[in-house]
């Protein structure tokens, strides 16, 4: 062996030594992940880096006080976060790229994390030993809130064949009841139909070919779809899922199904075949909403961000929501309008679910057409005793767009339905006043909501149900017409 080669081999062995004999820092690897790895040998992990998003937020804080242009704000915010992520993730990404066993990993700048599917113990140890790494944990997955849609409630296809429902008078009272109750028709008559507003949905996906939805899709070339699981090109939902199509249909569905039928939609799929939402996909979806990319996750353009994002998912009670709590200041700085489900975990005090329970967001509970709170609607108070939910909307027997075929409709229950109805009202308000802040929208929705009957007279957080707001019904049922009238002309 020549001296040169020997030297090379020596260097290489040094390199290998450094890589193979890492200083294990077990404190960065969560106990739950350790236990799971001992059992399963491989795991889906999420790696969190030491540079936290709060550092980027501090840097932009001053600039953001005066910067009003939405696209520019989002661009600066995402660029600062991305730069921090690039720096801290460099070594880990190099390690992952050199690992042959890994099937899938992706980087998230919005939380400064990397998600790795199928990581071995050895790899977890290697990652845990890297200087920039703060935590290595198991990537969590939770069952999506159940709604009550099923095949037996499906309406016959020919009842709502294409064209028949374009004439409002032929829709009939069933499809209309919640929209009428909310005063939506009156808002349409004033010319506010969601025109110019883009609504995002984070859910199971959408049957994009549905008759009531296909015309409103913003389009894949306009960054309308992202599927972190498979990077698929066109919106879809796995067979017998319905949640995402139901949800976006209640916001923008044609023929009298959606509150804001002239708004456009975009979607991100965060749910697997088994109805589980994955925390890393939800973060990827939130990142996509703050600064959209093409369907392959490239060429971001923050000017394509939606105005309103409807979220019919939540953390089950007692689950660790650290990731969303840390991400929320970034979402708040984005000034995009997030609407969340309060949860279907009622009755009982304090059951409102994160992230809808956070003060930054609107949490929506479920009521029926007779002005009564549903038993399953989650009650407040939220953390620090704040009143939750803020508002109630239709969450019992809501007639919705169904993905069973391109011409199917069905009934659905739960805050999963109430939430998109409210997101639709936000879209109507934004058509009238595009620059409303989330705080202003919350103020308008709450100050114009109408009283409904609480589930029981149980007092929560020291507030009796005879007082408005309270922790069962918040400020009451959302009324779109009251809200639009409360908004001064722009
Ligand atoms: C299915 O629909 C029937 C009839 O409306 C209803 O009684 C039942 O609760 C629904 N079941 C499920 C599992 O959604
Ligand atoms: C709907 O019907 C299909 C086919 O009959 C069945 O496989 C599926 O499980 C049903 N879905 C629900 C939610 O009942
Ligand atoms: C709408 O339907 C009603 C009742 O069927 C009918 O009288 C009316 O002419 C229809 N209007 C349009 C524009 O088709
Ligand atoms: C998405 O990927 C998963 C896992 O690789 C696979 O099981 C599933 O069939 C894929 N779905 C589609 C629609 O390609
Ligand atoms: C970003 O999106 C906006 C809005 O759709 C568009 O006008 C602009 O041309 C896009 N920028 C780039 C670099 O593609
Ligand atoms: C709200 O409605 C309920 C039920 O009708 C009633 O008991 C309660 O007094 C009302 N609250 C207010 C503040 O009007």
């Amino acid at each position: 062996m020549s001296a040169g080669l020997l030297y090379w081999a020596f260097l290489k062995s040094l390199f290998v030594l450094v890589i193979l004999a890492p200083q294990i820092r077990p404190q960065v690897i969560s106990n739950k992940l350790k236990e799971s790895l001992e059992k399963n040998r491989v795991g889906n992990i999420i790696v969190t880096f030491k540079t936290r998003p709060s550092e980027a937020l501090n840097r932009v804080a001053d600039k953001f006080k005066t910067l009003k242009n939405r696209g520019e704000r989002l661009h600066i915010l995402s660029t600062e976060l991305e730069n921090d992520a690039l720096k801290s993730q460099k070594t880990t990404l190099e390690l992952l790229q050199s690992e042959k066993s890994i099937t899938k990993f992706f980087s998230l700048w919005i939380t400064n994390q990397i998600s790795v599917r199928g990581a071995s113990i050895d790899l977890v140890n290697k990652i845990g030993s890297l200087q920039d790494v703060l935590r290595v944990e198991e990537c969590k997955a939770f069952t999506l809130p159940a709604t009550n849609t099923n095949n037996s409630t499906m309406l016959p296809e020919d009842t709502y064949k294409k064209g028949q429902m374009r004439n409002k008078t032929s829709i009939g009272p069933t499809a209309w009841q919640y929209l009428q109750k909310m005063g939506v028709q009156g808002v349409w008559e004033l010319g506010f139909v969601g025109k110019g507003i883009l609504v995002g949905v984070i859910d199971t996906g959408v049957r994009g070919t549905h008759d009531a939805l296909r015309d409103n899709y913003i389009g894949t070339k306009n960054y309308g779809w992202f599927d972190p699981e498979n990077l698929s090109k066109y919106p879809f939902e796995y067979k017998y899922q319905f949640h995402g199509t139901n949800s976006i249909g209640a916001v923008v569905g044609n023929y009298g199904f959606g509150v804001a039928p002239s708004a456009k939609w975009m979607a991100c799929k965060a749910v697997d075949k088994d109805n589980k939402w994955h925390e890393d996909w939800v973060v990827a979806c939130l990142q996509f909403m703050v600064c959209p990319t093409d369907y392959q996750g490239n060429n971001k353009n923050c000017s394509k961000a939606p105005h309103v994002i409807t979220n019919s998912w939540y953390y089950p009670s007692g689950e660790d929501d650290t990731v969303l709590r840390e991400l929320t200041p970034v979402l708040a700085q984005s000034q995009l309008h997030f609407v969340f489900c309060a949860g279907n975990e009622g009755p009982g005090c304090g059951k409102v679910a994160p992230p809808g329970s956070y003060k930054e967001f609107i949490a929506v509970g479920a009521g029926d057409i007779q002005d009564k709170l549903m038993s399953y609607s989650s009650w407040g108070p939220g953390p620090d005793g704040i009143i939750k939910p803020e508002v109630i909307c239709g969450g019992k027997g809501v007639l919705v767009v169904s993905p069973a075929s391109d011409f199917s409709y069905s009934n659905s229950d739960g805050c999963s339905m109430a939430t998109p109805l409210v997101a639709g009202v936000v879209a109507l308000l934004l058509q009238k006043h595009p620059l409303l802040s989330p705080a202003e929208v919350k103020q308008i929705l709450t100050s114009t909501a109408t009283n409904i009957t609480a589930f029981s007279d149980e007092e929560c957080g020291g507030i009796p149900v005879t007082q408005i707001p309270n922790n069962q019904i918040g400020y009451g049922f959302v009324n779109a017409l009251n809200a639009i009238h409360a908004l001064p002309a722009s």
Side-chain angles (χ1 to χ4, degrees):
M1 196 183 276
S2 79
L5 265 183
L6 195 65
Y7 178 67
W8 183 217
F10 172 70
L11 264 189
K12 210 170 143 191
S13 72
L14 262 188
F15 185 66
V16 166
L17 260 180
V18 171
I19 298 279
L20 287 187
Q23 171 210 358
I24 308 288
R25 293 187 301 143
Q27 67 276 17
V28 308
I29 301 168
S30 79
N31 288 332
K32 233 176 156 178
L33 175 59
K34 279 184 217 153
E35 280 163 29
S36 147
L37 281 175
E38 271 158 28
K39 242 190 283 151
N40 306 319
R41 315 306 294 169
V42 294
N44 297 335
I45 62 165
I46 188 136
V47 184
T48 305
F49 293 85
K50 283 179 186 163
T51 307
R52 301 313 303 138
S54 54
E55 297 183 26
L57 286 179
N58 290 339
R59 291 198 300 271
V60 300
D62 275 344
K63 211 181 289 179
F64 272 31
K65 279 179 194 144
T66 51
L67 188 62
K68 290 278 176 262
N69 182 294
R70 206 177 74 105
E72 235 176 283
R73 264 180 90 93
L74 296 175
H75 177 74
I76 292 171
L77 184 62
S78 70
T79 305
E80 291 285 340
L81 289 164
E82 206 169 22
N83 287 343
D84 281 359
L86 279 174
K87 267 182 238 152
S88 40
Q89 296 182 9
K90 188 169 180 289
T91 322
T92 308
L93 286 174
E94 280 164 6
L95 171 65
L96 288 167
Q97 270 142 12
S98 71
E99 282 283 323
K100 292 189 179 56
S101 61
I102 299 302
T103 45
K104 273 185 182 172
F105 64 89
F106 57 86
S107 163
L108 295 158
W109 50 259
I110 202 162
T111 47
N112 200 1
Q113 292 180 308
I114 297 177
S115 162
V116 187
R117 302 263 157 168
S120 63
I121 298 182
D122 184 42
L123 180 67
V124 170
N125 276 333
K126 282 183 198 165
I127 292 173
S129 74
L130 298 174
Q131 277 316 307
D132 292 314
V133 171
L134 179 67
R135 314 189 289 260
V136 187
E137 293 158 297
E138 205 166 23
C139 187
K140 298 188 275 289
F142 305 112
T143 303
L144 206 62
T147 49
N148 211 20
T149 300
N150 62 31
N151 294 341
S152 61
T153 58
M154 208 77 78
L155 300 165
E157 271 189 29
D158 58 4
T159 313
Y160 295 102
K161 274 258 165 65
K162 184 172 173 63
Q164 281 195 7
M165 299 192 64
R166 289 197 189 271
N167 181 344
K168 281 181 209 161
T169 57
S170 67
I171 294 169
T174 334
W176 269 95
Q177 52 184 3
Y178 283 107
L179 267 53
Q180 254 162 359
K181 178 175 169 44
M182 293 158 69
V184 167
Q185 188 166 9
V187 180
W188 291 353
E189 281 160 11
L190 294 171
F192 303 111
V193 285
K195 200 169 188 317
I197 303 303
L198 178 58
V199 181
V201 59
I202 298 176
D203 211 296
T204 50
V206 175
R207 185 178 179 112
T209 54
H210 196 287
D211 188 41
L213 292 172
R214 74 168 86 86
D215 292 344
N216 292 2
Y217 177 44
I218 190 86
T220 295
K221 70 173 187 319
N222 285 319
Y223 295 8
W225 172 247
F226 189 56
D227 165 13
E229 182 182 23
N230 294 59
L231 302 181
S232 57
K233 190 166 180 185
Y234 298 107
F236 77 97
E237 240 182 336
Y238 288 119
K239 208 166 180 185
Y240 307 129
Q241 284 187 338
F242 42 78
H243 210 261
T245 301
N246 288 178
S247 295
I248 197 62
V251 192
V252 305
N254 211 336
Y255 316 137
F257 285 93
V259 170
S262 296
K264 300 269 187 205
W265 63 269
M266 61 190 282
C268 185
K269 185 175 86 56
V271 183
D272 67 18
K273 276 193 186 72
D274 304 320
N275 259 347
K276 286 205 156 56
W277 66 268
H278 292 236
E279 198 178 52
D280 56 344
W281 295 345
V282 153
V283 173
C285 285
L286 289 165
Q287 175 175 296
F288 173 73
M289 294 296 166
V290 168
C291 194
T293 60
D294 61 26
Y295 72 94
Q296 289 170 310
N298 301 321
N299 303 311
K300 74 184 171 90
N301 181 344
C302 305
S303 297
K304 295 194 192 296
H307 302 91
V308 191
I309 297 118
T310 187
N311 299 276
S312 291
W313 54 271
Y314 57 83
Y315 283 86
S317 75
E319 295 291 353
D320 177 11
D321 61 329
T322 309
V323 170
L324 255 291
R325 269 192 283 116
E326 285 189 345
L327 176 51
T328 293
V330 176
L331 301 180
Q333 271 295 3
S334 78
Q335 291 284 299
L336 303 181
H337 297 265
F338 292 91
V339 184
F340 280 94
C341 204
N344 300 331
E345 311 296 316
C349 294
K351 293 196 174 168
V352 61
S357 59
Y358 306 162
K359 65 178 189 311
E360 289 85 352
F361 300 131
I362 298 174
V364 184
D368 67 10
I369 201 74
Q370 275 97 33
D371 273 339
K372 178 125 181 51
L373 188 71
M374 301 318 298
S375 59
Y376 44 77
S377 189
S378 289
W379 303 358
D384 303 324
I386 53 171
I387 289 180
K388 286 279 172 178
E390 276 77 10
V391 288
I392 304 301
C393 210
K396 176 65 192 170
V398 184
L399 188 63
V400 290
V401 175
S402 162
S405 80
D406 284 346
F407 300 97
S408 292
Y409 300 88
S410 66
N411 285 293
S412 202
D413 294 348
C415 68
S416 293
M417 295 299 98
T419 303
L421 290 171
V422 174
V425 176
V426 178
L428 299 177
L429 293 173
L430 289 175
Q431 183 191 340
K432 188 169 180 189
H433 249 296
L435 295 180
L436 285 177
S437 70
E440 288 166 332
V441 164
K442 193 190 269 196
Q443 202 277 327
I444 288 162
L445 291 179
T446 52
S447 64
T448 57
T450 58
N451 184 25
I452 68 167
T453 309
F455 176 73
S456 77
D457 54 16
E458 193 179 332
E459 181 177 310
C460 291
I463 298 166
V465 290
T466 47
Q467 195 175 310
I468 306 277
N470 62 59
N471 283 306
Q472 287 193 37
I473 67 161
Y475 290 76
F477 209 99
V478 165
N479 190 289
L481 190 57
N482 291 352
I484 212 95
H485 282 316
L487 244 192
S490 60

